[in-house]
Amino acid sequence: MRIAIDGMGGDNAPQAVVNGVVQALNEFKDIEFYITGPEDVIKEQLKKENYTGDKITIIDAKEVISTNEHPVMAIRKKKDSSLCKALNLVKEKKCDAVLSAGSTGAFLAGCNFIVGRIKGVKRPALTPIMPGKNAPFMIVDAGANVDCKPEYLVQFAHMGREYYKGVLKVENPSIGLVNIGAEEEKGNELTKNTYQLLKNEEGLNFIGNVEPRDVTSGDTNVLVCDGFVGNTILKMYEGTASTLLNIIKDEILSTGVKAKVGALLLKPVFKSIKKKFDYKEYGGAPFLGVDGICIKAHGSSDGKAFKNAIRQSKQFYDSKVLEKIKEELELKA
Amino acid sequence: MRIAIDGMGGDNAPQAVVNGVVQALNEFKDIEFYITGPEDVIKEQLKKENYTGDKITIIDAKEVISTNEHPVMAIRKKKDSSLCKALNLVKEKKCDAVLSAGSTGAFLAGCNFIVGRIKGVKRPALTPIMPGKNAPFMIVDAGANVDCKPEYLVQFAHMGREYYKGVLKVENPSIGLVNIGAEEEKGNELTKNTYQLLKNEEGLNFIGNVEPRDVTSGDTNVLVCDGFVGNTILKMYEGTASTLLNIIKDEILSTGVKAKVGALLLKPVFKSIKKKFDYKEYGGAPFLGVDGICIKAHGSSDGKAFKNAIRQSKQFYDSKVLEKIKEELELKA
């Protein structure tokens, strides 16, 4: 397998990117890497990592797209950027997958314009995999499409199903429609109309509406919604978890010595919880519906997060999810 | 002040309702109550509470609206229900406020049809007050209007502002637009258009977009959004907090004795957190924009929650928020 890596994407690039690649090379023997970025900068970084093997090719790219730039403009103008060059490697079938921790907007725009959509796909969807209480769950879409039509959400369901089945190895993943009521007739125009389509759609284990209250249990594998709601869920999850852990910390600090002793004893528990909620364990968010394996890693990814996103790309590739999505959606188109 | 109480609304009615009223009578001297419901049932309950004063009037109502009924149908057909009778007391100016813990849908429909909107208000909004890390925050709307237009959200901002200012006593409450990006141009059609209106609206301390990640800090007082997004925020907050506390509990139980000792020492900390997140402390959610003080209490309210919702009705009344909303919105209409 050949993976293209945007060497300059993310808060900790290029150090974390190159480190993640070197970690991955120690773990997976059958991957070749193409790292894009200014040749001297990437070379310097490889030297620091003491890498001397032949499984990394540097693809020189002089420009970098920052998170402050207008995504579409940046993709159109900066043809020599590390992101565009990495995407082109997939477009030209020189690589099987592409990975970036840079600007989400630019990555999505670049996947659409350079890699292109799968025939029949109306809107590709950003689909992070989140830690739930009982199992991980996927949100399709988490922000790529803020205004949606019911037929987009039906495709989200199929793409999410194929990914969850192939990569998370669940035979018949459950599909839920995020809605503010459990009953069929509840919700807004979009969810009411989508419910009717999903109910009659073949090949989906559609379990009905799922209220946001029940999302984090992880009892439903794939949750479909428009990108505005999906992004709200994603960020409420992060925000509430962080608020709550901060409140616990504040309360402990403001109470007497006893509580501090208690906190000390509970340290391993909190550590294990932190690990459970750690995005680094899950890799990145695949952008499903484009004609290639395109994975958006978290902006603040460190080496370990990159390594896990590389593992995820490999699972995506080995399980032939891309081919299955194509079959599924081209058939229906 | 005279308050109408739906004696049969909520999971614990009529016991919790009557108990809450009796608790409130001990705390506030200047309130008279009108409890609606089957006369014998309410009488029986008052007897159990040993109430013998003259500040409670029972208004006989033979029917009860359940949460399973179609809200609009129920309001139209069950004229002799405890909810309809309570709402009519406000409509006929025999009471200054109405309180129910019954079906949210039926309550909202009843407020619209029986109590009626304030002149100039396009859509009334359900506005729960939530505990944030640094301060309580309000969500306008939390589920009454699932499909919104930008001009509704501008009115939500004004109504929320008047309530927060009057009842939560903050001179110039900050108003934020819930959005999936901080920048002005981010979001969906609704938020982009709403931003432009709010930016140019006079008399609002509009601070711009607030990402869902930052909602729970409580740093923004009033958060406006459509009812689908607002309800999602509300339920994600409840769901995530509950999931996280359950995970902490599970982790403690699955670890050794040390962690259990730690948990024991931390008990007061968790108790204080539970109190901080307790909806019972905050009363209910006012339905702003209707021509009366209408408060929806939580379905699982106990006596204490009812007492607090009664206190909230009194603060609403004393602070003349209803009159201020009328002035504000009639002026602009």
Side-chain angles (χ1 to χ4, degrees):
Chain A
M1 181 186 186
R2 301 152 306 167
I3 303 182
I5 310 262
D6 172 5
M8 302 304 286
D11 306 342
N12 309 314
Q15 183 274 328
V17 186
V18 174
N19 176 264
V21 169
V22 173
Q23 279 193 49
L25 279 170
N26 290 325
E27 199 169 320
F28 314 108
K29 299 299 161 202
D30 52 351
I31 308 181
E32 280 172 55
F33 290 95
Y34 292 75
I35 303 180
T36 60
E39 195 168 2
D40 50 334
V41 174
I42 305 293
K43 241 181 197 160
E44 172 78 20
Q45 204 58 49
L46 280 171
K47 215 167 149 186
K48 279 187 193 158
E49 295 284 344
N50 296 316
Y51 182 75
T52 51
D54 59 355
K55 292 207 162 176
I56 299 177
T57 306
I58 301 172
I59 304 292
D60 190 41
K62 301 264 179 278
E63 293 173 297
V64 174
I65 294 176
S66 84
T67 50
N68 307 323
E69 289 176 76
H70 189 284
V72 178
M73 289 298 193
I75 290 294
R76 284 204 181 132
K77 285 192 180 164
K78 291 190 167 172
K79 303 277 182 218
D80 194 26
S81 61
S82 58
L83 176 59
C84 286
K85 288 237 164 163
L87 291 167
N88 268 309
L89 289 168
V90 170
K91 162 84 178 165
E92 295 158 4
K93 310 282 177 207
K94 288 178 186 155
C95 281
D96 307 298
V98 57
L99 198 59
S100 173
S103 154
T104 304
F107 182 73
L108 300 185
C111 288
N112 265 314
F113 294 141
I114 299 172
V115 179
R117 291 180 201 171
I118 291 172
K119 201 181 135 191
V121 168
K122 293 177 201 296
R123 293 288 185 280
L126 188 67
T127 57
I129 298 99
M130 313 281 296
K133 184 172 181 296
N134 305 319
F137 60 92
M138 277 179 81
I139 299 174
V140 206
D141 168 56
N145 309 283
V146 292
D147 291 296
C148 282
K149 292 181 181 170
E151 53 267 36
Y152 304 171
L153 271 68
V154 174
Q155 291 197 334
F156 295 172
H158 282 286
M159 298 192 296
R161 173 193 152 80
E162 291 306 329
Y163 185 91
Y164 205 99
K165 190 180 166 189
V167 176
L168 285 101
K169 311 284 176 206
V170 167
E171 191 43 47
N172 195 17
S174 51
I175 314 285
L177 175 64
V178 178
N179 206 346
I180 62 169
E183 303 83 2
E184 185 170 336
E185 67 280 3
K186 285 283 170 76
N188 57 14
E189 280 306 302
L190 175 66
T191 57
K192 277 190 251 183
N193 293 330
T194 303
Y195 193 104
Q196 294 311 314
L197 296 183
L198 285 174
K199 196 173 73 167
N200 296 312
E201 185 73 7
E202 273 175 49
L204 290 180
N205 179 14
F206 178 55
I207 59 149
N209 292 326
V210 174
E211 291 195 74
R213 177 187 290 128
D214 301 319
V215 161
T216 56
S217 71
D219 291 334
T220 307
N221 302 138
V222 179
L223 294 150
V224 298
C225 52
D226 71 64
F228 195 98
V229 168
N231 199 274
T232 299
I233 286 176
L234 189 74
K235 288 179 180 165
M236 273 301 293
Y237 198 24
E238 290 175 4
T240 305
S242 141
T243 293
L244 203 65
L245 291 175
N246 275 325
I247 290 177
I248 292 175
K249 222 168 78 184
D250 287 359
E251 288 285 337
I252 288 173
L253 289 175
S254 73
T255 329
V257 180
K258 253 195 199 170
K260 277 177 211 164
V261 174
L264 208 67
L265 292 172
L266 275 181
K267 233 179 168 177
V269 168
F270 284 107
K271 211 175 153 184
S272 138
I273 289 165
K274 227 178 158 179
K275 191 177 160 169
K276 199 162 183 169
F277 276 92
D278 190 0
Y279 68 89
K280 293 187 195 86
E281 300 288 325
Y282 285 81
F287 191 42
L288 300 180
V290 287
D291 197 7
I293 296 174
C294 302
I295 294 187
K296 173 67 185 66
H298 204 289
S300 61
S301 292
D302 59 10
K304 185 182 156 199
F306 268 101
K307 189 202 67 183
N308 287 333
I310 290 166
R311 178 199 294 129
Q312 184 188 15
S313 312
K314 183 173 153 52
Q315 290 167 334
F316 196 148
Y317 179 76
D318 291 343
S319 58
K320 303 200 189 308
V321 167
L322 188 63
E323 289 76 3
K324 282 171 191 159
I325 290 177
K326 278 189 191 183
E327 270 171 39
E328 187 78 21
L329 294 183
E330 283 184 358
L331 200 77
K332 288 179 184 283
Chain B
M1 181 185 185
R2 301 151 307 167
I3 302 181
I5 308 261
D6 171 4
M8 303 304 285
D11 306 341
N12 310 312
Q15 181 275 330
V17 187
V18 174
N19 175 265
V21 169
V22 173
Q23 280 194 48
L25 280 169
N26 289 326
E27 199 168 319
F28 314 109
K29 299 299 162 200
D30 51 350
I31 308 180
E32 281 174 54
F33 290 95
Y34 292 76
I35 303 180
T36 60
E39 195 168 5
D40 49 337
V41 175
I42 305 294
K43 240 182 199 158
E44 173 77 19
Q45 205 57 49
L46 280 170
K47 216 168 149 185
K48 280 188 192 159
E49 295 283 345
N50 296 316
Y51 182 74
T52 52
D54 60 354
K55 293 207 159 174
I56 297 176
T57 305
I58 300 172
I59 304 292
D60 190 40
K62 300 266 181 275
E63 293 172 297
V64 173
I65 294 177
S66 83
T67 50
N68 307 323
E69 290 177 75
H70 189 283
V72 177
M73 291 297 196
I75 289 295
R76 284 203 179 132
K77 286 191 177 162
K78 292 190 167 173
K79 305 276 182 216
D80 194 26
S81 61
S82 59
L83 175 59
C84 286
K85 288 236 164 166
L87 291 166
N88 268 308
L89 288 168
V90 170
K91 161 84 178 167
E92 295 158 4
K93 311 280 176 207
K94 287 177 186 157
C95 281
D96 307 298
V98 58
L99 198 59
S100 174
S103 154
T104 305
F107 183 74
L108 300 185
C111 288
N112 264 316
F113 294 140
I114 299 172
V115 178
R117 292 181 200 171
I118 291 172
K119 200 181 134 191
V121 167
K122 293 178 201 294
R123 294 287 185 282
L126 189 65
T127 57
I129 298 98
M130 312 282 295
K133 184 172 181 298
N134 304 319
F137 61 92
M138 279 180 78
I139 299 173
V140 207
D141 168 56
N145 309 282
V146 290
D147 292 295
C148 282
K149 292 180 181 170
E151 53 267 36
Y152 303 172
L153 270 69
V154 174
Q155 290 197 335
F156 294 172
H158 282 287
M159 297 193 296
R161 173 194 152 80
E162 291 305 330
Y163 185 91
Y164 205 100
K165 189 180 167 187
V167 176
L168 285 102
K169 310 286 178 208
V170 167
E171 192 42 49
N172 194 19
S174 51
I175 313 286
L177 175 64
V178 178
N179 206 345
I180 62 168
E183 303 83 2
E184 186 169 335
E185 68 280 3
K186 285 284 170 75
N188 57 13
E189 280 307 301
L190 175 66
T191 57
K192 278 190 249 182
N193 293 330
T194 303
Y195 193 103
Q196 294 311 314
L197 296 182
L198 285 174
K199 196 173 74 167
N200 296 312
E201 185 74 7
E202 273 176 48
L204 289 180
N205 177 15
F206 177 55
I207 58 148
N209 291 326
V210 174
E211 291 194 74
R213 177 187 291 128
D214 301 319
V215 160
T216 56
S217 70
D219 291 334
T220 309
N221 302 138
V222 178
L223 293 151
V224 298
C225 52
D226 72 63
F228 195 97
V229 168
N231 200 274
T232 298
I233 287 176
L234 189 74
K235 287 178 181 165
M236 273 300 294
Y237 198 24
E238 290 174 7
T240 304
S242 142
T243 292
L244 201 66
L245 291 175
N246 276 327
I247 290 178
I248 293 176
K249 223 169 77 185
D250 288 359
E251 287 284 338
I252 289 173
L253 288 175
S254 72
T255 328
V257 180
K258 253 195 197 168
K260 278 178 210 164
V261 175
L264 207 68
L265 291 172
L266 274 183
K267 232 178 170 179
V269 169
F270 284 108
K271 211 175 154 185
S272 137
I273 288 164
K274 227 177 161 183
K275 193 178 158 166
K276 199 162 183 171
F277 276 91
D278 190 0
Y279 68 89
K280 295 189 194 84
E281 300 288 325
Y282 285 81
F287 191 42
L288 299 180
V290 287
D291 196 7
I293 296 174
C294 302
I295 292 186
K296 173 65 185 64
H298 204 289
S300 61
S301 292
D302 60 10
K304 185 181 156 200
F306 268 101
K307 190 202 68 183
N308 287 334
I310 290 165
R311 178 200 292 130
Q312 184 187 16
S313 313
K314 182 173 152 51
Q315 290 168 333
F316 197 148
Y317 180 76
D318 291 344
S319 59
K320 302 199 189 310
V321 167
L322 188 64
E323 290 76 1
K324 282 171 191 160
I325 290 177
K326 278 190 190 182
E327 271 171 38
E328 187 77 21
L329 293 184
E330 283 184 357
L331 200 76
K332 289 179 185 282

